[in-house]
Amino acid sequence: VEPTQEWADEVRRLAKARNATLLAHNYQLPAIQDVADHVGDSLALSRIAAEVDSDEIIFCGVHFMAETAKILSPEKRVLIPDERAGCSLADSITADELRAWKAEFPDALVVSYVNTTAEVKGLTDICCTSSNAVDVVASIDPDRDVLFLPDQFLGAHVKRETGRDNIHIWAGECHVHAGINGDELTAQANAHPDADLFIHPECGCATSALYLAGEGFVPEEKVKILSTGGMLDAARETGAAQVLVATEVGMLHQLRKAAPGVDFQAVNDRASCPYMKMITPAAMLRCLREGRDEVFVDADVAEKARKSVERMIAIGN
Ligand code: 13P
Ligand code: SF4
């Protein structure tokens, strides 16, 4: 199925007939982003999911995001066009592994990135996203140990920014972001010395970016460690003619729309998330025609998980 205008018209017609709202993550294929009612990062989309008054949410993203939408709006039907769209980062810690880790640090508070399963969120004190991880950890009593999971690069960023030494970091990673490495970033930064660098904190190259700035290879003000939502805000404000972007390549579509005069280039143009790209034009049609795949979260798990997500939302963005 090609994402033609006829395809888009059919998607819109079916969504209307179902009274469904279409949400798409920033890493979706451009055609899926363009047909959706709302495009955003995982936190913004969860908030929208909780607020819209349609009967149904169709979540074009990965499974943990659709689960979070279901946790926040249990009364709505939540569909994902392909339930096999998982996440290698969410898979890097299981609920049993977290139980064992908590047993080693019984007095610690658990901070989990939203890229986790509902069961892991249910064992969590406060959730965070890449846009608010530093604020969430900074809000915790400085004498209290923190278990931060599952992303080691985001954890290292939070540790640097908060200056805490009582933060224990799980060694998980997203294979897409971890693969954007320091050598590639250095080569690109050398080839484009006037460009700004927008780096997602999940990237393997985040430390190299700070090294380049710290050693004076790149002016400090040109290096920005940002969530996907933060990148869009920075794109509208940058004075640079070119920006090198270290995150999943789907992000370039929204950046180019937000600042058409700026030349956005991927630091690694192979950084495409295979799970995000399982939401194809054909999968969208199947979802809208057959009402599949529906997302269910066990009621007890959802209630516990909701508390950790709501605590995050209360701390702010
Ligand atoms: P957000 O910027 O939406 O939090 O997402 C990062 C990510 O990798 C989601 O898969
Ligand atoms: Fe998960 Fe990484 Fe894909 Fe995001 S880009 S959904 S963290 S595998």
Side-chain angles (χ1 to χ4, degrees):
V1 176
E2 289 303 313
T4 56
Q5 188 57 47
E6 290 69 41
W7 167 84
D9 292 345
E10 179 67 353
V11 167
R12 297 300 328 159
R13 188 187 67 75
L14 290 165
K16 194 163 179 218
R18 298 185 69 90
N19 190 16
T21 302
L22 297 181
L23 304 181
H25 189 266
N26 287 324
Y27 296 163
Q28 289 289 292
L29 291 169
I32 307 277
Q33 296 188 25
D34 290 343
V35 84
D37 294 297
H38 303 277
V39 184
D41 64 15
S42 50
L43 177 64
L45 292 177
S46 307
R47 285 189 170 141
I48 295 169
E51 281 162 16
V52 292
D53 57 8
S54 59
D55 303 328
E56 208 170 76
I57 301 282
I58 299 191
F59 209 114
C60 304
V62 294
H63 198 263
F64 78 79
M65 296 180 182
E67 258 185 1
T68 308
K70 181 69 184 174
I71 289 165
L72 289 174
S73 345
E75 71 296 344
K76 293 196 186 101
R77 223 156 92 88
V78 176
L79 303 177
I80 182 166
D82 190 333
E83 67 183 1
R84 294 169 302 174
C87 168
S88 60
L89 181 54
D91 284 345
S92 64
I93 186 162
T94 64
D96 282 342
E97 285 170 329
L98 177 52
R99 280 189 200 95
W101 202 27
K102 285 174 72 156
E104 278 180 55
F105 296 94
D107 297 325
L109 272 177
V110 178
V111 178
S112 297
Y113 195 22
V114 284
N115 295 41
T116 42
T117 61
E119 217 186 338
V120 165
K121 285 190 181 73
L123 296 167
T124 293
D125 294 297
I126 316 180
C127 279
C128 72
T129 70
S130 50
S131 51
N132 62 17
V134 173
D135 292 341
V136 166
V137 172
S139 76
I140 295 170
D141 174 357
D143 294 330
R144 198 85 190 264
D145 276 351
V146 173
L147 301 184
F148 187 93
L149 63 107
D151 189 75
Q152 56 181 300
F153 299 108
L154 181 61
H157 172 67
V158 169
K159 188 170 181 165
R160 251 187 329 258
E161 292 289 314
T162 59
R164 287 178 86 117
D165 54 13
N166 58 352
I167 170 165
H168 307 271
I169 300 168
W170 191 256
E173 63 182 33
C174 152
H175 72 295
V176 180
H177 285 89
I180 307 177
N181 64 47
D183 290 348
E184 275 162 343
L185 180 76
T186 307
Q188 293 270 16
N190 285 335
H192 306 280
D194 295 327
D196 272 4
L197 309 182
F198 286 7
I199 320 274
H200 194 281
E202 279 177 31
C203 288
C205 66
T207 323
S208 312
L210 293 172
Y211 171 80
L212 290 173
E215 296 296 312
F217 293 114
V218 177
E220 212 162 297
E221 67 280 4
K222 288 198 157 290
V223 178
K224 300 188 171 75
I225 311 279
L226 297 164
S227 65
T228 60
M231 286 186 188
L232 282 169
D233 295 337
R236 295 187 190 96
E237 288 161 14
T238 183
Q242 192 178 49
V243 176
L244 304 176
V245 183
T247 193
E248 208 275 352
V249 291
M251 190 64 216
L252 294 168
H253 186 57
Q254 288 302 318
L255 287 170
R256 288 172 180 153
K257 280 175 112 167
V262 179
D263 175 23
F264 293 97
Q265 294 298 332
V267 169
N268 174 341
D269 60 10
R270 301 170 314 284
S272 173
C273 175
Y275 303 109
M276 286 282 178
K277 270 55 183 188
M278 284 179 178
I279 312 304
T280 58
M284 290 285 286
L285 287 180
R286 188 197 68 131
C287 175
L288 286 156
R289 288 181 182 143
E290 300 174 21
R292 291 195 293 145
D293 294 323
E294 186 164 358
V295 176
F296 298 99
V297 181
D298 174 85
D300 284 349
V301 171
E303 200 186 309
K304 290 195 190 110
R306 190 174 314 122
K307 291 198 182 110
S308 64
V309 177
E310 284 175 350
R311 272 185 213 119
M312 163 183 83
I313 291 175
I315 289 169
N317 195 357

